[in-house]
Amino acid sequence: MALNSEQLALDIEAAMKAKGFDPLANNAAGHEWWLAFAEGIVNHITQNADVAVASGSSAGTYKVT
């Protein structure tokens, strides 16, 4: 599954709404803020995450892309 900043931002907004918050209200950060937040998460994961394959012909550690 590819990481998608836009979808992550929408999912964060939806989860906040489900808990009673209004992340896009006039005094809130707005969608662009949540998109930047999500992009930071996606960038951190793709730059730092590794996947370990324990056995088989593909055994080893690989970067998440």
Side-chain angles (χ1 to χ4, degrees):
M1 175 185 93
L3 298 172
N4 180 311
S5 299
E6 178 67 26
Q7 188 59 52
L8 180 57
L10 292 171
D11 290 346
I12 291 169
E13 291 167 9
M16 291 184 72
K17 287 178 186 176
K19 295 292 185 184
F21 296 99
D22 187 356
L24 303 179
N26 291 338
N27 293 330
H31 180 74
E32 289 302 312
W33 189 93
W34 292 108
L35 182 56
F37 181 81
E39 286 173 356
I41 293 171
V42 169
N43 289 341
H44 179 78
I45 291 170
T46 56
Q47 290 171 9
N48 298 295
D50 292 327
V51 175
V53 177
S55 62
S57 62
S58 298
T61 303
Y62 300 92
K63 297 297 286 176
V64 172
T65 58

